[in-house]
Amino acid sequence: VQHGNSPLSPYAYVLYGLIHSGVLGDFDGAVAYGDLSLTLLDKFQTRELKSKVYVLVSIFIRHWKRHARETLDMLLEALQAGMETGDLEYAGYAAIHTCCALFWIGDPLDGVASEMSRYIDLVSRTRQDFQRHFASILRQTVLNLLGRSEDPQRLVGESFDEDNTFSVLVQTKNTMSICTVYLCRAITAYLFGDIKKAEASARLSGEHISGVLGQQSVVVQNFYHSLSLLALCEGAEPEAVGKYLEEVDKNQQKLQTWANHSPSNYRHKFLLVSAELARVRGDIANAMALYDSAIETARKNRYLQEEALANERCGEFHGAAGRTKVAYAYLSEARYLYARWGAAAKVSQLD
């Protein structure tokens, strides 16, 4: 920097960080720019930039190195700063990405739904339609899992109606929300056993991934697309299986990189997909070990919903091999964990 920094420099540096994480995949560089931005923000006390800088560090940088739970306090500060300085746009981003973080980290769904409702009311009052649509998609997904919708696989209910609103998202080119609709469809379809819909939805989410570059959603899309592809392998023709596995291998190269940089958020996801890969390839002993590693790593890092999913997949694996007592133990644990998460619709399916 030839002439030093100015009070506006924190915003410039955090944008560099965003580019390094979302475009270049340079997470160490992203963290360095993010830390520099926070240091200069503190030095210059540029309060009118605080909401912007805190939001961008939280969404695009912090989760690549630290547990995503550590973004929550920063997002709350961003929300407060934005409201105090009149930066309603970034206050809205702080609100909706709090909703997103609470869902992805697996907090109990009933509380998440209540928090989301509060934040949706806030962005509605400040007329932030872009943010409102995004948060409403997530909240409807939560309501579906809670059993508070007619069909858990359709994003239609109290908070969002995909039949009437999706066309609005397309017309307004709201790529972030379009990507999220497809991703939430993929998640619910996979959890409730419609594997073809899950794979198709995950693929469409991937086609709109530019709307969420650098965010946790990129990893979640990769994760559910791989799980769906691996589930499709059962009963498929050898040529199709080969294509599915080739795609999963490519996904796993990315997921392993993300897991290496941020093991507290992504290691258990990589391990679960690895377990499913080993199952499909007939590597029974390795699959057993990987399922257990995925379960333990998810538990250690407090990803309740993915600890439940890993137990469920492990139980199905043992059940298919005729190990009914072992399968029952894992599936019972999965049911217990889904119930703790609050996913009443999923518990009903398991029953």
Side-chain angles (χ1 to χ4, degrees):
V1 180
Q2 202 168 13
H3 300 290
N5 293 296
S6 79
L8 297 178
S9 295
Y11 187 53
Y13 285 125
V14 78
L15 291 178
Y16 277 124
L18 185 160
I19 292 167
H20 276 260
S21 70
V23 179
L24 302 178
D26 175 14
F27 304 116
D28 292 329
V31 170
Y33 278 118
D35 289 346
L36 178 58
S37 177
L38 294 171
T39 299
L40 292 175
L41 185 70
D42 185 58
K43 175 183 175 181
F44 288 113
Q45 291 294 299
T46 319
R47 185 151 182 79
E48 63 270 22
L49 289 180
K50 182 174 181 178
S51 187
K52 287 180 171 62
V53 170
Y54 272 41
V55 163
L56 295 174
V57 169
S58 298
I59 298 170
F60 296 103
I61 296 174
R62 183 150 288 198
H63 70 94
W64 294 114
K65 281 291 184 180
R66 303 187 192 180
H67 198 293
R69 287 186 183 279
E70 294 187 33
T71 66
L72 293 174
D73 287 343
M74 181 171 275
L75 285 167
L76 179 59
E77 284 195 61
L79 173 59
Q80 292 169 341
M83 296 301 289
E84 289 169 6
T85 60
D87 191 350
L88 300 181
E89 180 185 7
Y90 273 82
Y93 285 130
I96 66 170
H97 284 286
T98 298
C99 298
C100 199
L102 289 169
F103 185 43
W104 292 152
I105 63 179
D107 268 14
L109 292 171
D110 200 39
V112 171
S114 297
E115 284 290 287
M116 287 179 170
S117 181
R118 189 161 65 88
Y119 287 124
I120 290 169
D121 286 345
L122 186 149
V123 296
S124 297
R125 290 198 307 272
T126 56
R127 299 181 181 179
Q128 304 290 318
D129 286 343
F130 181 94
Q131 290 92 326
R132 177 176 57 82
H133 286 311
F134 177 75
S136 297
I137 296 160
L138 293 168
R139 185 168 184 269
Q140 188 58 55
T141 306
V142 170
L143 294 176
N144 286 14
L145 292 165
L146 283 165
R148 288 160 56 182
S149 65
E150 289 189 12
D151 183 347
Q153 289 193 50
R154 297 188 68 240
L155 299 176
V156 176
E158 172 190 323
S159 191
F160 185 78
D161 184 346
E162 63 180 343
D163 294 337
N164 294 321
T165 310
F166 189 75
S167 60
V168 175
L169 302 180
V170 174
Q171 289 166 12
T172 57
K173 298 181 180 179
N174 188 339
T175 310
M176 186 168 81
S177 289
I178 293 169
C179 179
T180 303
V181 166
Y182 286 130
L183 179 54
C184 289
R185 283 180 185 170
I187 292 168
T188 53
Y190 182 82
L191 290 176
F192 292 102
D194 189 340
I195 303 304
K196 288 184 178 179
K197 179 181 177 181
E199 194 281 325
S201 298
R203 188 176 297 279
L204 286 167
S205 181
E207 291 174 6
H208 294 83
I209 208 71
S210 62
V212 296
L213 284 181
Q215 301 178 35
Q216 283 184 272
S217 302
V218 172
V219 184
V220 178
Q221 186 276 334
N222 176 297
F223 177 61
Y224 275 97
H225 194 206
S226 288
L227 290 177
S228 301
L229 287 165
L230 289 164
L232 284 178
C233 288
E234 187 172 350
E237 294 295 325
E239 185 179 351
V241 171
K243 289 180 180 179
Y244 297 153
L245 293 181
E246 185 178 347
E247 280 198 76
V248 173
D249 284 335
K250 289 179 181 177
N251 283 348
Q252 281 292 81
Q253 289 176 19
K254 295 177 183 177
L255 188 50
Q256 184 168 29
T257 298
W258 299 332
N260 289 341
H261 280 279
S262 190
S264 61
N265 294 312
Y266 306 130
R267 179 72 179 161
H268 64 278
K269 294 177 175 67
F270 173 75
L271 290 169
L272 180 54
V273 175
S274 297
E276 291 281 272
L277 259 174
R279 173 186 61 79
V280 170
R281 287 174 167 150
D283 188 352
I284 304 305
N286 198 29
M288 286 183 180
L290 286 165
Y291 281 122
D292 285 336
S293 293
I295 291 166
E296 182 56 35
T297 307
R299 179 185 299 125
K300 174 185 172 183
N301 292 302
R302 298 165 61 195
Y303 275 86
L304 181 61
Q305 81 285 30
E306 285 153 3
E307 183 188 352
L309 178 57
N311 271 281
E312 182 185 7
R313 295 309 310 143
C314 187
E316 295 290 348
F317 162 74
H318 285 291
R323 294 182 287 273
T324 53
K325 289 185 178 180
V326 179
Y328 180 79
Y330 281 104
L331 290 172
S332 296
E333 181 69 4
R335 186 195 183 283
Y336 165 72
L337 293 166
Y338 280 126
R340 274 185 57 200
W341 188 33
K346 179 64 181 177
V347 171
S348 296
Q349 184 214 32
L350 289 175
D351 288 344

